[in-house]
Amino acid sequence: MDIAYIPSPSTGVIHLGPLPLRGYAFCIIIGVFVAVWYGNRRWVARGGKAGTVADIAVWAVPFGLVGGRLYHVITDYQLYFSEGENWVDAFKIWEGGLGIWGAIALGAVGAWIGCRRRGIPLPAWADALAPGIAFAQAIGRWGNWFNQELYGRETDVPWALRITEGANREAGLYHPTFLYESLWCIGVALLVIWADRRFKMGHGRAFALYVAAYCAGRGWIEYMRVDEAHDILGLRLNVWTSIVVFLLAVTYIVISSRTRPGREEIVEPAAADRTKSDAASGTSSSQDGPEDGASEEDAGTAKSDAVPDTAPESADAAESPGKA
């Protein structure tokens, strides 16, 4: 008799009248909110303006969702375009199926567009978002729990996940790979926060560290999964993807640290120009407070830009894991 296991929800959707509330969608939405909120804190600590992260996320998030779905449909096309399957299901994103590789790749395109419109460097913005993205993934993986999908091999460990009988799945106890990846992503976020504080990482290296660390965990977690996937030389496609992307991320860190050491002094020219203008007119935020209803974050931004030697310490305080 099984005495310990993680139960699966009886349903992944609750109907509020005619409106379906899906656990998978809630996890994605909460994850995006956390990423933007924490990314904004890091961006302001680096000398940027409050609200810039959200403005760029308006471009990055839709691109990321489309990219994630495209990657899933392309790599698992047999689920939608083989005999007996309905190709219309490829558009049912609420039923699960987002590939992180496609989400990051196409999301970066959207972020690039947003950054160009604001005149800020994409690598600096990506560095600010890196740990928040990892936290978002940790939350988003619980959507797989609601959908009872992407679990691992059968097991009898006390933390096994109980899966109920359903379409394309057999009842039993399996490794909760969604939980493994969620915990791994939290660890990745904390690693990036610590490394960024310790080594003052800039020019996209904090983001590259997030990518490399995530890939290291995704490789062994992916190897445990039993859902249908394409194999290449005995390894699942996503394992190979993890290996290749890991090597690219590490290579970028090494080359970037040699060619562009240190961290960007200015991440948002508009914020820096405002600080110079305030200093020239003698209305610095440290003396008179924020003007024209400016937020406290903007006031802190002006202060950190006016005294660049103390900016790293301010960033460290804002990035404390206890506030994440």
Side-chain angles (χ1 to χ4, degrees), residues 34 102 115 179:
V34 169
C115 286
L179 179 59

Side-chain angles (χ1 to χ4, degrees), residues 42-122:
R42 286 172 54 84
W43 183 253
V44 171
R46 288 284 305 274
K49 295 175 61 178
T52 296
V53 167
D55 290 344
I56 297 174
V58 169
W59 289 90
V61 172
F63 274 72
L65 290 174
V66 172
R69 189 59 176 178
L70 282 175
Y71 181 89
H72 167 72
V73 172
I74 292 173
T75 56
D76 291 306
Y77 61 86
Q78 71 281 355
L79 300 177
Y80 308 101
F81 302 107
S82 59
E83 185 177 354
E85 302 293 344
N86 186 357
W87 63 271
V88 176
D89 292 341
F91 297 95
K92 298 179 179 179
I93 191 173
W94 56 87
E95 293 184 354
L98 288 174
I100 185 61
W101 318 112
I104 293 296
L106 205 54
V109 175
W112 176 78
I113 294 174
C115 286
R116 280 188 61 86
R117 290 171 60 89
R118 294 296 295 263
I120 64 177
L122 175 60

